[in-house]
Amino acid sequence: MIYLDNSATTRPYPEVLALYTKLSNEYFGNPSSLHTLGMEAEKILNQARKKMAAFLECSSNQLVFTSGGTEANALALYGTVKRHSYAHIITTTVEHASVYENLQALEQSGYDVTYLQADQFGRVTVDQVKEAIQPSTVLVSIGHVQGELGTIQPIEEIGKALQSYPQIKFHVDAVQSLLKVPFSIIEAGIDLMTLSAHKVHGTKGTGLLFSKNPKTLESMTKGGSQEQMLRPGTENTAGIACFAKAISKSAQKAVYEQKRLKQLTRHLRSELEQIKGVRINTPKEGTAPHILNLSIPGVKAEVLVQALGYEKIYVSTQSACSTKTGKPSRILLGCGLNEDRARSSIRISLSFETKKEEIDLCIETLHSIIPKLQEVMK
């Protein structure tokens, strides 16, 4: 099996799975319980929180654990604007569905949202953000790495520009950039940031929202005092501890792996560019090292994904949260690409565990099956 759908989810590290099993079996108490078993679970939770805070260079009380990146994004958006009966929000046309669709819902509730038009590579500029600011703007929400194309947004420049507007909070969805693209919460002037464990070899069901000042957020739900009353419900102690362990293990080799992944995707791009009819959608510069998006106009993406699947090579058509809609990629359409190109795009995404031999076999297989599919589709 060659797994190249790592932007959808990664395989948990063996050490992470072992820890999950141990904690779920031996420390299953509710961390809010007052008895010994609960106190032991709370201790594990606090240790993991401290590790995550040390990695992010922030305070433990600035972290709110959630069920995943989607919930963390929703808390950042709703939690910010719920304090305002009317507000203006700035985002882009190429955000993940968990941001884009929640903002559409807020728009229907009466809030004003500006969607910055991304260029053909999915990138917006700091000037676009500055030009869109209104007196009523309270939030700017922009993903660091575009999940389908791998394009890096200029969050440091945007964050510095927003320092002149202290009433505006800057939310960054960093789910796809964590450990792949270096950044600093402080240098980028980030007020709110979303992370997800299963994108970095942790387990599913655990997300994190960094909030520079959690007291300025409103909870979306009621029902408990957990996570500073911002996310009621029993914490996923084992998942949170595994998140911290996955971060710790990956951080030790991140610098080396970022360079290695960049070499692998460059090699992959170079080979694919030689196949007649292949169009590379990911820009050459300013991209994350682990994502490459391509189209074969005339060949449906689902057909290519299935053909690769028969060879036990697994890639995706678009973001996993949108792949079953049957619609062409909203992201590529939002970049101005035509429907044929948007319908025929696939995403190849690597992880710290991807080997060069796997990339070479993927290239060899694509060289073989793409001409055949192009002939059938004529």
Side-chain angles (χ1 to χ4, degrees), residues 46-196:
N46 290 336
Q47 288 174 343
R49 194 186 304 275
K50 287 180 181 177
K51 287 181 181 177
M52 294 295 293
F55 170 72
L56 295 171
E57 299 181 319
C58 67
S59 300
S60 296
N61 61 10
Q62 292 179 312
L63 303 181
V64 179
F65 287 105
T66 67
S67 64
T70 295
E71 185 184 357
N73 275 338
L75 178 57
L77 303 177
Y78 284 92
T80 298
V81 303
K82 273 182 71 174
R83 289 184 169 232
H84 306 269
S85 57
Y86 170 78
H88 174 244
I89 306 158
I90 298 171
T91 188
T92 80
T93 56
V94 294
E95 296 305 309
H96 185 270
S98 59
V99 169
Y100 187 80
E101 294 182 11
N102 274 311
L103 287 179
Q104 284 192 314
L106 283 170
E107 205 173 9
Q108 293 173 1
S109 300
Y111 293 96
D112 186 16
V113 182
T114 295
Y115 300 89
L116 302 179
Q117 176 61 54
D119 67 14
Q120 64 173 320
F121 298 122
R123 188 175 286 116
V124 296
T125 67
V126 64
D127 287 338
Q128 285 179 277
V129 175
K130 288 193 288 188
E131 290 168 6
I133 292 174
Q134 302 177 12
S136 59
T137 305
V138 299
L139 178 66
V140 173
S141 179
I142 297 179
H144 188 191
V145 167
Q146 207 298 309
E148 290 187 33
L149 292 167
T151 307
I152 300 173
Q153 301 288 9
I155 61 166
E156 288 86 359
E157 293 177 53
I158 295 170
K160 287 177 183 175
L162 293 177
Q163 287 178 2
S164 301
Y165 304 89
Q167 78 279 13
I168 301 176
K169 285 188 176 183
F170 186 28
H171 168 238
V172 174
D173 179 350
V175 165
Q176 291 293 349
S177 64
L178 179 62
L179 293 166
K180 310 295 194 315
V181 180
F183 65 94
S184 162
I185 291 174
I186 297 173
E187 291 179 11
I190 295 172
D191 296 299
L192 299 153
M193 182 178 70
T194 297
L195 301 177
S196 178

Side-chain angles (χ1 to χ4, degrees), residues 23 28 58 111 121 227 237 243 284 293 374:
L23 295 180
F28 57 86
C58 67
Y111 293 96
F121 298 122
E227 300 301 303
T237 307
F243 195 1
K284 281 189 175 180
N293 189 294
Q374 289 171 324

Side-chain angles (χ1 to χ4, degrees), residues 350-363:
L350 287 55
S351 79
F352 287 2
E353 296 192 326
T354 303
K355 298 178 176 62
K356 183 176 183 301
E357 295 76 14
E358 295 175 315
I359 295 298
D360 285 338
L361 187 53
C362 177
I363 291 169

